[in-house]
Amino acid sequence: MPKTPRPWIVTRHDPIEKLEDNLWAVQGDVPGIPFKRRMFIIKRSDGTLTFFGMAIPLEDELLAEIRAWGRPSILVVTHDQHMIDARAFAEKLGLKVYGPKPCEAKMRARVELAGVLEDVPADPNVQIMAVAGAKTGEPAVIVRSDGGRRVSLLVSDVLQNNPKDSLGLLPRLMGFGGGPKIVPVFKMMFLKDKGALKRQLAEWAELPGLARLVPCHGDGVTSGVAEALKAAAAAI
């Protein structure tokens, strides 16, 4: 029998991080797992909002603040294993849901999809792309702020930066601590082309105006971002 969809449940999370004039984020706990997750909220050029990463249910007062900032429109789910609260979140905010083509069938079994990543409406300040060499086709997002002078790189599982004291024992033993880095599980289970990923990391390191790297799992990086990307590439 199909699994009963998870209802809207607000779990512990941190305050909203207002990173740029068009980029907010929220970090919270993964239900049932000693691990952190992050949801990004990107304000598009037309004033609508795109949510990216792992959907995190929020209190009504925070949803009101978000709606006052922009009109919720799109949820980009990074892959089928990041769908814990995706359905409830999309239904609560009336969002169109998009995800990577390789995960389309699994995602459609759990949520109504408006399309795949290539179908997301284009925006001059928001560039969504598949991570090179990743089996799931998981996306990364480049957000341009301050008239394009500042660039934020948002990633899903490909790069993580988890403080060891934020993890349970098993994730620490599995090498999820530290970073920013490509964790061993990703290399073993989700990476099919090391060379392609190395080239993409090198390209990201050369982005003009690169100001921050922010993962779905772990701390953001705002100093030495290019060097961090090059180091991760060298360690593949």
Side-chain angles (χ1 to χ4, degrees), residues 19-34:
L19 304 174
E20 297 283 358
D21 57 0
N22 62 343
L23 177 60
W24 292 3
V26 180
Q27 181 175 246
D29 297 339
V30 178
I33 303 174

Side-chain angles (χ1 to χ4, degrees), residues 80-156:
D80 59 284
Q81 295 185 42
H82 273 186
M83 297 186 69
I84 297 173
D85 288 306
R87 178 169 175 165
F89 194 88
E91 291 177 350
K92 179 83 169 181
L93 278 75
L95 305 173
K96 292 182 178 179
V97 183
Y98 298 83
K101 181 69 174 178
C103 301
E104 182 179 7
K106 291 180 179 179
M107 293 179 66
R108 287 192 183 279
R110 299 175 64 181
V111 71
E112 182 178 348
L113 278 189
V116 294
L117 298 180
E118 292 76 12
D119 300 319
V120 178
D123 186 278
N125 295 323
V126 183
Q127 182 181 354
I128 302 173
M129 73 211 77
V131 170
K135 294 178 182 178
T136 61
E138 70 170 60
V141 180
I142 294 171
V143 179
R144 292 179 170 84
S145 309
D146 190 26
R149 288 180 287 273
R150 292 174 58 80
V151 168
S152 299
L153 174 62
L154 318 179
V155 296
S156 179

Side-chain angles (χ1 to χ4, degrees), residues 163-215:
K164 291 184 179 181
D165 59 5
S166 72
L167 301 173
L169 177 60
L170 183 58
R172 290 201 303 271
L173 293 175
M174 294 176 67
F176 282 94
K181 67 180 184 180
I182 303 167
V183 299
V185 168
F186 186 91
K187 292 180 184 179
M188 290 187 294
M189 298 182 63
F190 302 112
L191 182 57
K192 63 180 180 181
D193 189 334
K194 294 181 179 180
L197 180 54
K198 279 190 173 187
R199 290 189 293 273
Q200 188 177 57
L201 292 174
E203 291 172 2
W204 286 343
E206 300 301 325
L207 284 169
L210 183 61
R212 61 165 51 83
L213 163 68
V214 195

